[in-house]
Amino acid sequence: MTTTFMQSPKYLFTSESVTEGHPDKMCDQISDAILDAMIKEDKASRVACETAIKTGFVLTYGEVTTKTYVDIDALVREVVNGIGYDRGKKGFDGSTCGVLVALANQSADISRGVDQNGVKEAVEYNEAFIESGGAGDQGMMFGFACNETESLMPMPIYYAHKLTRRMAEVRKNGTIPWMYPDGKSQVTVEYHYGKPVRIHTIVVSSQHADQLDHEEVSHDRIEADIREHVIKAVIPAELLDEDTKVYVNPTGRFVIGGPMGDAGMTGRKIIVDTYGGMGRHGGGAFSGKDPTKVDRSAAYAARWVAKNVVAAGLAERCEVQVSYAIGVAQPLSINVETFGTGAVEDEKIAQAIAKVFDLRPRAIIHDLDLLRPIYRQLAAYGHFGRDDLDLTWERTDRADALKEAVRLLTR
């Protein structure tokens, strides 16, 4: 996205979301449930857990180092059943599926870069401890925020997530009894000169029962229920008009879904997890990784920074990039792009960020309180802009400090 894009008289932008029963998201939730279980009992756990899933089986694999014991077989079944795949008629049953585990110890070559002083947990978060904790890998991470919604998220992904969260709600509370766990949404927003003005198109697809009470579940019923109980319930009426296009289960049938319909794997929905394609992505997935992995922790920090920039009134939209080298604590670079909406030069904002935020990995973990079992709840419906959760990186607690830092730099 460029400044020229922002200045276009009219353009469309589309983002998608998927439900917790999507096979890739099932894998993300399993991986993060394993992470949660390990850091709950041992905060020094190092976790890089992947999951793959297909009809009848789940495979968890990767590298972990922990002092605690986790019954992974039982945990996998709990997650799958909790998602709603608890009967064979849905195409997958968490109680009877096979569970394979292939977890090995983390490489010592990686751990020595993260724990240069041989200490995994802080007795005291002092300068020496923070500086001796290097990044778990090289890479670049992006954070993004804009003033299109109250949560400072782009409107397309914000409402796409609202739709899929609502789908889970009406399925679980029985409002729509024919609905099964797998599903998707897609929202296209029309912009005029960088400002959202209306929703152009909505697409909702939901896995469904073939029959309910011995009667076929018709497409007319599916469309009517989705329009009434999902779309109407979450999309503001002022964003819809007579020209808004709505597509519900466009193929006409979606009975075979979940792992039976498509194989799943951890980390394949990185755009769904972040900003829906609005802004750039460093390429690293989040789920199954403990916060020493900057793919996760620095991406959260970058969102925290970008959101505070917008909340401070320094820009209407802001993208922040940070980069790291394995074993090095200090970020290699901090870049800011405000797409022509900044109140001051982007360079000045970047300088203010460096003064207000400590973006070394151990400082991020401490400031955002990341060594907690909070990750499974993030593995579906996005890691950012979650108005249903109290997430530390969604707070705008440093907006005033940023404004003051910019004032001092520009006086």
Side-chain angles (χ1 to χ4, degrees), residues 278-290:
M278 188 85 72
R280 287 165 282 201
H281 197 295
F286 301 153
S287 290
K289 297 178 182 178
D290 74 81

Side-chain angles (χ1 to χ4, degrees), residues 219-393:
H219 184 270
D220 288 344
R221 177 178 179 179
I222 292 170
E223 181 164 0
D225 283 349
I226 291 289
R227 284 178 177 268
E228 178 66 23
H229 299 297
V230 177
I231 297 173
K232 187 176 177 181
V234 301
I235 304 296
E238 61 268 21
L239 291 175
L240 305 173
D241 56 40
E242 59 184 10
D243 294 323
T244 298
K245 301 174 185 177
V246 177
Y247 298 95
V248 176
N249 282 19
T251 66
R253 180 179 172 86
F254 186 3
V255 173
I256 300 173
M260 187 174 182
D262 193 10
M265 186 176 293
T266 300
R268 289 206 298 201
K269 287 296 177 187
I270 59 176
I271 301 303
V272 170
D273 285 342
T274 52
Y275 309 101
M278 188 85 72
R280 287 165 282 201
H281 197 295
F286 301 153
S287 290
K289 297 178 182 178
D290 74 81
T292 66
K293 280 74 170 173
V294 284
D295 277 344
R296 177 164 229 156
S297 55
Y300 292 170
R303 162 64 177 173
W304 183 37
V305 172
K307 189 170 183 179
N308 274 271
V309 169
V310 175
L314 298 174
E316 293 181 14
R317 54 203 309 123
C318 177
E319 180 185 82
V320 174
Q321 184 202 51
V322 290
S323 66
Y324 295 88
I326 187 169
V328 179
Q330 292 286 352
L332 305 182
S333 65
I334 302 173
N335 180 64
V336 172
E337 170 65 71
T338 60
F339 310 97
T341 71
V344 297
E345 297 91 342
D346 291 352
E347 181 184 3
K348 295 294 184 184
I349 297 175
Q351 291 173 3
I353 288 168
K355 291 181 178 295
V356 173
F357 294 90
D358 189 342
L359 295 176
R360 292 175 292 179
R362 281 182 174 168
I364 292 171
I365 290 169
H366 177 261
D367 291 344
L368 295 181
D369 195 14
L370 296 181
L371 291 177
R372 298 176 292 140
I374 59 173
Y375 299 108
R376 177 178 170 182
Q377 64 186 339
L378 303 171
Y381 314 117
H383 294 245
F384 306 122
R386 294 290 296 271
D387 48 21
D388 59 321
L389 302 173
D390 180 19
L391 303 175
T392 52
W393 53 91

Side-chain angles (χ1 to χ4, degrees), residues 14 30 49 80 170 178 186 197 358 379 406:
T14 302
I30 291 168
C49 179
V80 173
V170 297
W178 51 259
Q186 188 168 283
V197 296
D358 189 342
V406 167

Side-chain angles (χ1 to χ4, degrees), residues 127-197:
E127 177 64 21
F129 179 78
I130 292 173
E131 184 61 26
S132 66
D137 201 353
Q138 69 177 45
M140 67 283 191
M141 298 82 212
F142 288 92
F144 185 85
C146 61
N147 61 3
E148 295 177 11
T149 59
E150 288 186 3
S151 65
L152 303 188
M153 285 289 284
M155 186 176 287
I157 190 67
Y158 178 78
Y159 282 114
H161 283 323
K162 286 277 192 182
L163 289 169
T164 51
R165 279 169 50 195
R166 178 63 179 173
M167 289 167 72
E169 181 182 353
V170 297
R171 171 174 61 86
K172 291 179 177 180
N173 68 20
T175 300
I176 301 183
W178 51 259
M179 187 177 283
Y180 281 177
D182 195 1
K184 292 184 174 183
S185 72
Q186 188 168 283
V187 174
T188 301
V189 174
E190 181 177 316
Y191 289 80
H192 293 178
Y193 295 101
K195 304 291 185 182
V197 296

